[in-house]
Amino acid sequence: MTLHVPFWHRAIRRWATLPLILGAPVASADPLTLPRDPERTWIGWGVKRSGRRAAWVARRRGERCLRLEDGFLRSHAPGGHAPPLSLVADDLGIYYDSTRPSRLEHLLEHGGDLVGDRAAELEAARRRIVGGALSKYNAAPALAPDDLDPPAN
């Protein structure tokens, strides 16, 4: 299965790591020249213009849409100069948009056992994330526990 990026979205097309992260080839395409295919998936960025346009193209053509967003551990620094180390790909919505359901929300509500036999591996990853004080961009200074106390009246 090839994922399609509408030809007008140049930024997504430039990410050489995208096929590796998504596990599928990614091709730039003109929606006006391709025959309709209910198995085709268009990709765009979150609820920004490219995501809205990819969703619009998919809806109009009776095809599918994946919205992409920075993963929860995105990179060593914010901005386009630091390549993404993880992405969220959501076929329903996107996790931060409360106006519609997201795949993450659906999995948490209805997914059953999401851990399976990977509990030890996931716990080790959690310990490394917490122990390394990792965040989405790893750019904020560390806070002392007193920094989190509410101010005195």
Side-chain angles (χ1 to χ4, degrees):
M1 166 185 81
T2 298
L3 302 171
H4 290 83
V5 178
F7 72 91
W8 57 77
H9 196 325
R10 293 180 192 96
I12 289 178
R13 292 188 328 212
R14 287 194 298 259
W15 290 353
T17 57
L18 196 57
L20 297 170
I21 293 172
L22 295 175
V26 176
S28 178
D30 182 346
L32 297 176
T33 63
L34 292 175
R36 293 175 190 252
D37 179 356
E39 299 300 312
R40 180 172 290 113
T41 300
W42 295 92
I43 58 177
W45 194 259
V47 294
K48 292 187 179 191
R49 187 174 181 199
S50 72
R52 292 190 313 267
R53 289 177 82 182
W56 181 83
V57 165
R59 250 189 334 274
R60 297 272 304 188
R61 295 173 52 88
E63 297 170 342
R64 299 180 296 205
C65 179
L66 268 182
R67 293 178 186 261
L68 305 179
E69 185 57 56
D70 288 334
F72 296 106
L73 290 176
R74 194 238 183 235
S75 62
H76 72 278
H81 64 281
L85 301 174
S86 67
L87 287 174
V88 171
D90 196 317
D91 63 328
L92 295 178
I94 203 68
Y95 63 88
Y96 60 80
D97 181 5
S98 64
T99 65
R100 71 193 80 199
S102 69
R103 181 58 57 189
L104 176 59
E105 180 181 326
H106 181 80
L107 286 170
L108 291 172
E109 289 180 359
H110 309 290
D113 181 11
L114 301 177
V115 175
D117 61 353
R118 300 182 74 188
E121 179 184 353
L122 294 172
E123 177 55 25
R126 186 196 69 76
R127 280 195 307 274
R128 289 185 73 187
I129 290 168
V130 172
L134 298 178
S135 68
K136 186 171 183 175
Y137 299 112
N138 301 309
L143 292 175
D146 293 344
D147 294 337
L148 301 175
D149 290 336
N153 289 334

